[in-house]
Amino acid sequence: MASYFCPCPRGMEAALAEELGEIAQDSNGLKVHNQVPGGVHCSGDLHDAYRINLHSRIASRVLMRMAVTGYQNENDIYDLVLAQPWEDWFDVDHTIRVDVTAVKSPLRSLEFTTLKIKDAVCDRFRDQFNKRPSVDTKAPDMRIVGFLDARQFTIYLDTSGEALFKRGWREETGDAPLRENLAAGLLRVSGWKPGTPLFDPMCGSGTILCEAAQMVQGIPPGARRRFAFENFNGFDPAPWQAMKAAVKVNPLPESPTIFGSDISGDMVEMTRHNLRCAGILFEVPLKQIEAQEVKAPTEAPGILLTNPPYGERIGVRGDSTLPEDELATTFYSALGTTLKQRFAGWTVFLFTADLGLPRLLRLKEARKTPFFNGALECRLFRFDMVAGYNRREEAKPKSV
């Protein structure tokens, strides 16, 4: 049994642990352990690493723990890495990359620590084969990851390769696309399930819609890409191919339940293209329309989930040091009115770095959950659009 660490977007740890628990139902040995800031620990055999890579929508990577030790300086780290049987896992002809992250480490230079880890791996191969692996920082065959806290150093071998949010279907993106695993996490946190109406009125390049549509169709997120474990020494493709062949896709929905729109016709076309690339075989109705002009796409209420423009995407929103942009203020005021008037019974989720958004919408959030989009601190605001909301607003006495 091996120990694994699955990093994820910060704030998504509980959602990832829940997802890993569901993946573990198809395994005899996969066990989910503790959540820590930025990820979830679990354990299982190598086939369980295959399984997580294939099925996890929220994990960023699946890192296999090679060793852990207390440390005082970089030499302790070098010695631990040198002692690991890297040659059991990959050949000297494979290219490598080393990444290090740290929390409260007393070491002064992460760059120097990274260099010591790389030297230890290369020295191990040179001692045995009189040859050392080459470094490739852009597209390495193998990624080695070190993690330092105040007292311990852990060294991992990455089983994923490219980050798991790179599903293999995205060919076109907008200016600031939401990462696929963050979109999938937001869908889970919102409580959305296939069959429930879902609407994204500012869909951009369609990340939320593509993730939801793949869930509806039963397409695993890792079905269309390759992984680092396929380059491991002794890799047997038969169990991996059997695991992929065992996936049962769902019947296609008879009527649409997922809908999107965007003010940009180019974004709408980009979303259509990305849906095709993601293997979606059913209709996802899309419209070019301003968000404040939209109407509920179904009679039955559902979930509206969107990532509205903010912060770096339009250069003003999200920066409290700048005056509020009049255009944005007008837009969000109109959007709030639209939500109250046309989305009675819907649950609305807005993912944004603009923490003052409820005030601009003139809505009181039912819940706000902190998450990070990369380094950007964000909130997922939930608004319950109860029936009669707008009538009650109109009935309130007006100040004179």
Side-chain angles (χ1 to χ4, degrees):
M1 298 292 279
S3 293
Y4 298 102
F5 180 64
C6 300
C8 66
R10 279 187 292 163
M12 288 292 172
E13 296 86 358
L16 173 58
E18 181 181 82
E19 180 189 60
L20 290 173
E22 294 169 4
I23 294 171
Q25 292 174 9
D26 293 324
S27 165
N28 292 324
L30 179 58
K31 297 285 187 291
V32 183
H33 303 302
N34 56 312
Q35 302 170 34
V36 296
V40 178
H41 290 280
C42 58
S43 62
D45 61 23
L46 193 55
H47 291 174
D48 289 318
Y50 300 176
R51 189 171 282 107
I52 298 170
N53 276 296
L54 177 61
H55 290 289
S56 177
R57 292 191 174 276
I58 302 174
S60 301
R61 298 181 178 279
V62 183
L63 305 177
M64 180 170 60
R65 190 174 76 191
M66 301 292 289
V68 60
T69 186
Y71 71 96
Q72 302 251 321
N73 53 46
E74 291 86 355
N75 291 331
D76 297 332
I77 290 168
Y78 174 91
D79 292 342
L80 182 75
V81 176
L82 182 68
Q84 301 314 305
W86 301 107
E87 68 280 0
D88 290 352
W89 293 97
F90 59 91
D91 293 332
V92 68
D93 294 326
H94 283 125
T95 57
I96 64 170
R97 168 177 170 150
V98 177
D99 293 285
V100 175
T101 57
V103 176
K104 298 182 179 176
S105 171
L107 299 183
R108 292 183 178 179
S109 171
L110 287 188
E111 288 80 6
F112 183 60
T113 304
T114 303
L115 185 63
K116 293 291 280 188
I117 293 171
K118 186 265 296 179
D119 287 347
V121 175
C122 290
D123 289 350
R124 171 90 186 189
F125 278 98
R126 187 158 42 210
D127 291 346
Q128 297 196 36
F129 306 104
N130 203 30
K131 187 179 177 183
R132 50 164 285 172
S134 298
V135 172
D136 182 345
T137 58
K138 295 219 169 125
D141 298 315
M142 295 292 152
R143 294 171 186 261
I144 295 160
V145 178
F147 176 72
L148 298 150
D149 63 18
R151 296 185 182 85
Q152 285 194 316
F153 167 70
T154 311
I155 189 74
Y156 297 97
L157 181 60
D158 183 3
T159 71
S160 302
E162 280 202 301
L164 293 182
F165 69 82
K166 297 183 178 179
R167 313 289 203 216
W169 56 258
R170 187 194 283 281
E171 294 183 7
E172 299 187 46
T173 67
D175 291 338
L178 203 62
R179 285 183 173 178
E180 289 84 337
N181 62 334
L182 181 53
L186 294 173
L187 283 162
R188 179 176 282 266
V189 171
S190 77
W192 178 80
K193 296 277 197 299
T196 302
L198 176 71
F199 180 37
D200 182 351
M202 291 173 267
C203 66
S205 57
T207 309
I208 290 172
L209 301 178
C210 288
E211 286 296 306
Q214 283 202 330
M215 293 180 205
V216 168
Q217 202 165 312
I219 300 174
R224 294 169 171 261
R225 53 162 285 171
R226 289 184 56 82
F227 297 94
F229 64 73
E230 296 178 71
N231 294 324
F232 284 175
N233 289 343
F235 170 70
D236 180 0
W240 171 233
Q241 295 301 329
M243 193 178 292
K244 291 199 289 185
V247 172
K248 294 183 175 64
V249 296
N250 298 328
L252 300 182
E254 295 180 1
S255 57
T257 57
I258 298 174
F259 306 85
S261 64
D262 200 275
I263 189 174
S264 165
D266 289 343
M267 289 291 114
V268 170
E269 283 307 310
M270 198 181 292
T271 297
R272 282 201 180 95
H273 177 80
N274 285 336
L275 285 162
R276 286 193 296 271
C277 291
I280 304 309
L281 301 176
F282 59 90
E283 181 189 7
V284 177
L286 303 171
K287 285 184 181 178
Q288 180 185 358
I289 186 173
E290 293 187 43
Q292 68 270 39
E293 300 294 332
V294 297
K295 297 178 181 176
T298 57
E299 288 188 14
I303 287 176
L304 186 155
L305 172 61
T306 195
N307 174 216
Y310 63 84
E312 296 165 6
R313 287 173 69 183
I314 57 176
V316 175
R317 307 302 320 139
D319 186 344
S320 60
T321 65
L322 295 174
E324 288 183 358
D325 180 78
E326 188 175 335
L327 187 63
T329 302
T330 304
F331 165 75
Y332 284 117
S333 175
L335 178 62
T337 299
T338 296
L339 295 175
K340 285 183 278 193
Q341 289 180 344
R342 300 178 179 176
F343 286 84
W346 283 67
T347 306
V348 173
F349 290 90
L350 301 183
F351 181 68
T352 178
D354 189 342
L355 307 188
L357 193 61
R359 178 174 51 81
L360 293 175
L361 291 166
R362 302 195 306 269
L363 291 171
K364 174 61 180 170
E365 72 273 15
R367 189 176 73 208
K368 56 183 176 183
T369 310
F371 295 107
F372 280 79
N373 186 3
L376 198 61
E377 185 176 358
C378 299
R379 293 289 185 276
L380 181 65
F381 289 107
R382 169 179 167 168
F383 304 95
D384 296 332
M385 309 310 298
V386 296
Y389 195 125
N390 196 55
R391 287 196 298 275
R392 288 202 304 278
E393 288 289 303
E394 291 173 351
K396 286 181 180 177
K398 305 293 188 291
S399 59
V400 293

